[in-house]
Amino acid sequence: AAAVAVGGGIQAKVTFKVTLSSDPRLPFRVVSVPEAAPFTAVLRYVAEEFRVPAATSAVITEEGIGVNPAQTSAEVFLKHGGELRLIPRDRVG
């Protein structure tokens, strides 16, 4: 884990609303994280909340565009906005 530099102020945050697409009730979680947080951490946290395996889950936009988790949360938010969907891909085969 990288050390977090402490400036004089409050870290800016981004908020994501992530919906579990595989559940017909469409449950969601709202997560606020620092802009610099790796999006992989957001993916892991949300997958755990929904009790689905993070390693085989994908995040897509409301329009169905895949989100590359290998970027910061701020980059994901700026490119795709705050409304995302989690797709567990454990039913492959």
Side-chain angles (χ1 to χ4, degrees):
V4 176
V6 178
I10 299 168
Q11 277 193 325
K13 291 195 167 193
V14 290
T15 301
F16 296 103
K17 176 185 173 191
V18 184
T19 304
L20 182 63
S21 291
S22 61
D23 188 325
R25 294 168 300 175
L26 296 177
F28 65 89
R29 295 288 185 277
V30 176
V31 188
S32 289
V33 295
E35 289 182 339
F39 193 73
T40 49
V42 176
L43 171 59
R44 262 198 317 275
Y45 173 77
V46 174
E48 284 173 16
E49 285 285 302
F50 288 130
R51 295 179 175 81
V52 297
T56 56
S57 294
V59 175
I60 62 169
T61 65
E62 293 285 316
E63 294 79 34
I65 298 165
V67 174
N68 177 3
Q71 50 192 336
T72 67
S73 294
E75 290 170 323
V76 171
F77 188 83
L78 289 172
K79 283 182 198 165
H80 304 292
E83 301 258 332
L84 301 172
R85 293 180 172 268
L86 182 72
I87 309 279
R89 294 181 295 187
D90 55 343
R91 295 177 181 83
V92 176

